[in-house]
Amino acid sequence: MEAHRAWDEGTRKRLIDAAGQTFARHGFRAATIREICRRANAGISAVNYHFRDKQGLYEAVFEYSHRWAVEKYPHDLGLDHGATPEERLRAFIRSFLLRGLGDGFPAWHGKLIALEMANPSGVLSKVAQTAIRPMDEILEGIVRELFRKENPSREPDERSVRTCRLSIVGQCIFQIHARQFMQLDEPKVLDPPRIAAIADRIYRFSMGGIRAIAAEEQP
């Protein structure tokens, strides 16, 4: 029984890695189970056993990829509990970019995310509750703290907080997406100092926007 479980776990990991490569190369719709199983050296029945079907495998690839990325680069990058909201926002942005642009991940990691953004299959909405929503809640808390700090007399309204959250995430996503599909004078995988420089620019731009919106009169 123990040997059977070990075999199952090994096959599951091989299928996820092979599927990540295949989906990143062809996209979800054009990728075939036959090619994925050939890459994984597994039978087609293994996909049904572990993931139910192609859609289930695709969702598992995203969940695995996101979990691995967050474990390597957590949202706070190891800041202590006394960190300021400014420090936490800077760490959040940097960790976001490290997960999408840094090394230490499979070659398919960034390309797969960019392809899904360009041609959505709906998988992100399905994994949102376990993978995306917790990240959004962290950012929402940081933005609310910054609003209160900039303007203690005004409770941040939902629209302003949402606008800032979307702006911050949108800037990060663009960096990941653009480097996969646009010709830039930089490599697609960047070293940490270069990622930190990009993150700092996004941070400064975002802080400027938060300060400006916090200073506005309440509608």
Side-chain angles (χ1 to χ4, degrees):
M1 180 65 77
E2 291 297 325
H4 179 66
R5 281 205 296 268
W7 182 86
D8 287 343
E9 291 171 3
T11 302
R12 190 177 193 279
K13 290 178 181 178
R14 293 202 313 275
L15 283 168
I16 286 176
D17 188 57
Q21 297 176 49
T22 307
F23 288 136
R25 182 176 182 182
H26 301 295
F28 171 70
R29 294 171 182 82
T32 66
I33 291 297
R34 186 176 299 279
E35 180 176 351
I36 290 169
C37 291
R38 179 184 59 78
R39 285 176 177 267
N41 191 27
I44 292 176
S45 60
V47 172
N48 298 329
Y49 175 78
H50 289 286
F51 307 104
R52 190 181 65 256
D53 54 21
K54 180 180 172 182
Q55 179 70 32
L57 175 56
Y58 193 57
E59 292 173 12
V61 167
F62 268 85
E63 290 173 355
Y64 174 80
S65 179
H66 180 80
R67 184 172 64 252
W68 184 15
V70 171
E71 287 176 0
K72 183 173 178 63
Y73 297 118
H75 304 300
D76 62 2
L77 291 180
L79 289 174
D80 59 43
H81 293 300
T84 66
E86 291 87 354
E87 290 170 332
R88 289 162 54 211
L89 178 60
R90 190 189 296 269
F92 182 94
I93 294 169
R94 187 175 296 184
S95 68
F96 197 118
L97 293 180
L98 283 167
R99 290 193 293 270
L101 298 173
D103 60 1
F105 297 107
W108 49 263
H109 178 78
K111 181 66 178 297
L112 181 65
I113 294 173
L115 275 175
E116 180 61 27
M117 291 175 184
N119 188 18
S121 69
V123 68
L124 292 180
S125 64
K126 292 187 177 181
V127 302
Q129 292 303 314
T130 57
I132 299 173
R133 181 56 189 165
M135 180 177 70
D136 188 49
E137 290 174 349
I138 291 170
L139 180 58
E140 180 179 354
I142 294 172
V143 171
R144 286 187 181 277
E145 279 192 61
L146 288 167
F147 264 95
R148 295 187 181 108
K149 188 173 182 179
E150 293 296 329
N151 191 347
S153 65
R154 173 187 168 188
E155 183 64 20
D157 62 277
E158 293 297 327
R159 184 175 63 178
S160 297
V161 172
R162 183 173 61 251
T163 297
C164 291
R165 280 162 40 214
L166 291 174
S167 173
I168 292 165
V169 172
Q171 292 175 79
C172 295
I173 288 175
F174 176 78
Q175 288 291 331
I176 298 170
H177 181 82
R179 290 173 194 284
Q180 293 295 335
F181 297 106
M182 296 174 63
Q183 292 296 322
L184 301 176
D185 295 332
E186 294 178 320
K188 292 180 181 179
V189 177
L190 306 178
D191 58 33
R194 195 169 296 185
I195 292 173
I198 296 171
D200 285 344
R201 289 197 293 272
I202 294 175
Y203 165 79
R204 292 196 301 272
F205 186 89
S206 300
M207 282 302 304
I210 290 171
R211 291 188 180 109
I213 294 174
E216 293 176 347
E217 293 295 328
Q218 185 77 35

